[in-house]
Amino acid sequence: MSNTAGGMVGGTRKKVFSVLKTVFLFALLLVYMVPFFLVIINAFKSNGAILKSPLSLVDPGGITFDNFTKAFERMNFLRSFANSLLVTVVSVALIILISSMTAWLFVRFNWKINRIFFAAMIAAMIVPFQAIMIPLVSIYGGTLNMLGNPVTLIAMNIGFGVSMAVFIYHGFIRGGVPVSLEEAATLDGCNRLQMFFKVVFPLLKSTTATIVVLDVLWAWNDYLLPSLVIGNNKQAFTLPLSTYSFYGTYSVDYGAIMAALCLTALPVIVLYLFLQRQIISGVVSGAVKA
């Protein structure tokens, strides 16, 4: 009888703890999402209504779409979107290609030089960007005169993004890609390049999806590095840079800024919705096998 009662008490405690944990996590979610919701609701309000009552759900004068029209025109949205798309797609594609092949090389060939390079990449992840941005601008701008060019921005994105991608791929390949599959491919007549793209790379699908989303979020939303590299070349402005046009010397168009932020974030949200299953499975597998 006592064992039954103890089991009931223990089961009740677990249920209560589970409910409390769920409530706590839901409260954290609400706190985290409040700024996002404020951006959305204020995007449909006039500038005066935002200044008077930014927390109100609806503009007393009614919902307006003028902010989106204004943002679309002043941002030169199509050109900025094309620039962001070019920089993000090319940067992420090259990061995936370079880092996956590099990680596979590091795992399968235990050379001393590979261990040194891998340790250097891990160490590079610790160095904050703010510590090197001034020398970076000085060298590429003053010495090499390569600023104001999207190609330079893509090259820097690759340089800053490869280390983390190699680290993630390295853990998955070491524990999740059997050597026997590569040996079988070799016996079938595949060279190393064919073996990688036909056998190894397809097994990295979930990890690749995780890296794609992480790097797309970073490259698409980054403001500091593009502002340093692109500078005043408005023809090469990305979406985050183009939103700065709504900040005047003495005034700020908050409604247009909120609409511009919504337009900028929408493509990334759509990408995440399409890849969320692969992201979760990639994170879990990487955590278990790294």
Side-chain angles (χ1 to χ4, degrees):
M1 182 70 179
S2 59
N3 290 336
T4 303
M8 292 177 62
V9 173
T12 303
R13 288 178 179 176
K14 288 182 179 180
K15 290 181 180 179
V16 172
F17 178 76
S18 178
V19 171
L20 291 176
K21 182 174 68 173
T22 302
V23 171
F24 176 72
L25 292 176
F26 185 73
L28 285 180
L29 174 64
L30 291 178
V31 172
Y32 180 80
M33 293 299 293
V34 162
F36 181 71
F37 287 128
L38 287 178
V39 168
I40 295 177
I41 62 176
N42 285 318
F44 296 95
K45 293 157 59 175
S46 64
N47 208 42
I50 295 174
L51 293 174
K52 184 177 180 180
S53 54
L55 299 180
S56 62
L57 296 178
V58 181
D59 188 336
I63 295 176
T64 178
F65 293 91
D66 293 341
N67 292 327
F68 288 91
T69 304
K70 189 187 303 182
F72 193 89
E73 294 175 353
R74 288 181 59 182
M75 289 174 67
N76 202 337
F77 181 81
L78 293 179
R79 185 182 65 194
S80 300
F81 178 82
N83 292 335
S84 289
L85 188 64
L86 173 66
V87 170
T88 302
V89 170
V90 175
S91 298
V92 173
L94 291 177
I95 287 173
I96 293 297
L97 177 64
I98 295 171
S99 59
S100 60
M101 298 180 73
T102 302
W104 177 73
L105 181 69
F106 286 170
V107 172
R108 293 295 182 249
F109 299 92
N110 192 26
W111 301 332
K112 185 176 181 180
I113 189 67
N114 285 353
R115 295 195 296 270
I116 293 174
F117 276 123
F118 184 65
M121 285 185 171
I122 300 302
M125 296 168 59
I126 304 173
V127 180
F129 172 74
Q130 290 78 4
I132 61 174
M133 66 180 185
I134 295 178
L136 197 70
V137 173
S138 176
I139 293 172
Y140 279 87
T143 305
L144 301 177
N145 194 25
M146 294 177 61
L147 297 184
N149 192 342
V151 176
T152 304
L153 178 59
I154 292 172
M156 290 188 181
N157 282 342
I158 295 171
F160 287 116
V162 161
S163 295
M164 185 190 70
V166 167
F167 175 74
I168 296 174
Y169 273 128
H170 187 280
F172 184 83
I173 293 174
R174 185 177 59 185
V177 180
V179 181
S180 58
L181 292 178
E182 300 176 20
E183 294 173 346
T186 303
L187 293 176
D188 289 338
C190 289
N191 56 38
R192 289 178 180 174
L193 199 62
Q194 291 173 328
M195 179 174 59
F196 177 79
F197 285 106
K198 293 183 178 180
V199 177
V200 177
F201 193 73
L203 297 177
L204 305 177
K205 180 180 178 181
S206 59
T207 306
T208 299
T210 303
I211 296 174
V212 165
V213 172
L214 292 175
D215 285 341
V216 165
L217 285 172
W218 159 59
W220 187 271
N221 295 323
D222 190 20
Y223 177 84
L224 182 56
L225 182 59
S227 67
L228 295 173
V229 175
I230 301 300
N232 296 322
N233 183 8
K234 294 185 178 181
Q235 298 298 321
F237 270 13
T238 59
L239 284 174
L241 292 181
S242 63
T243 58
Y244 194 73
S245 61
F246 299 106
Y247 291 89
T249 305
Y250 302 105
S251 63
V252 179
D253 194 343
Y254 291 104
I257 290 174
M258 301 301 173
L261 293 176
C262 290
L263 292 174
T264 302
L266 184 60
V268 178
I269 295 174
V270 173
L271 176 67
Y272 176 79
L273 292 177
F274 276 107
L275 297 180
Q276 58 181 336
R277 288 187 178 180
Q278 287 83 356
I279 297 166
I280 295 172
S281 61
V283 171
V284 172
S285 62
V288 173
K289 297 176 182 177

